[in-house]
Amino acid sequence: QVHLVETGGGSVQAGGSLRLSCATSGVTFSTYCMGWFRQAPGKEREGVAGIYDGAGSPVYADSVKGRFTISRDSAKNTVYLQMNSLKPEDTGMYYCAADLSWLGCYHLSGEDLSHWGQGTQVTVSP
């Protein structure tokens, strides 16, 4: 059974950094794609970053390229999202997601991922 738990959210000022963690169980990174998504109040869910075996490099939304980095540690069964140069528009609930298919991570399409964590809140003030 897949279980995902996000931590690391918080409140920071614009320009600051946060590192989100997604502790996993029931997931093997060699077979699962892992993604980060976010949702701001009143807005649709947005794909942020995805990582999976077979990809040449991780996938990022244009809005976070050069600022966010997704990575994974197989020994710790944990996926990370390092967020630098944060902007107020990065505010939202951040979710970790996983699936055996790479489609959701490649397209950053949440509907293609089956397993989700409960989310962690990120608030960036001006």
Side-chain angles (χ1 to χ4, degrees):
Q1 186 174 358
V2 175
H3 192 52
L4 309 174
V5 179
E6 303 95 331
T7 57
S11 297
V12 296
Q13 289 189 323
S17 298
L18 283 173
R19 187 176 80 157
L20 306 183
S21 299
C22 174
T24 75
S25 60
V27 170
T28 303
F29 290 154
S30 61
T31 56
Y32 276 80
C33 89
M34 301 298 302
W36 284 97
F37 293 76
R38 67 186 181 188
Q39 188 166 22
K43 294 188 177 181
E44 292 188 354
R45 183 176 58 197
E46 174 189 22
V48 175
I51 187 169
Y52 58 98
D53 272 18
S57 59
V59 178
Y60 295 98
D62 288 341
S63 57
V64 306
K65 279 181 182 176
R67 301 188 298 122
F68 290 12
T69 302
I70 186 172
S71 62
R72 57 191 184 181
D73 185 333
S74 298
K76 296 182 178 180
N77 297 318
T78 301
V79 179
Y80 302 98
L81 185 68
Q82 178 66 45
M83 306 186 295
N84 299 327
S85 302
L86 283 161
K87 304 175 180 180
E89 51 263 44
D90 294 318
T91 293
M93 187 70 79
Y94 282 69
Y95 299 91
C96 175
D99 201 276
L100 283 169
S101 169
W102 53 267
L103 286 174
C105 294
Y106 178 76
H107 295 292
L108 294 180
S109 54
E111 58 269 25
D112 291 317
L113 289 108
S114 302
H115 308 284
W116 292 81
Q118 84 291 344
T120 186
Q121 176 69 36
V122 171
T123 303
V124 185
S125 57

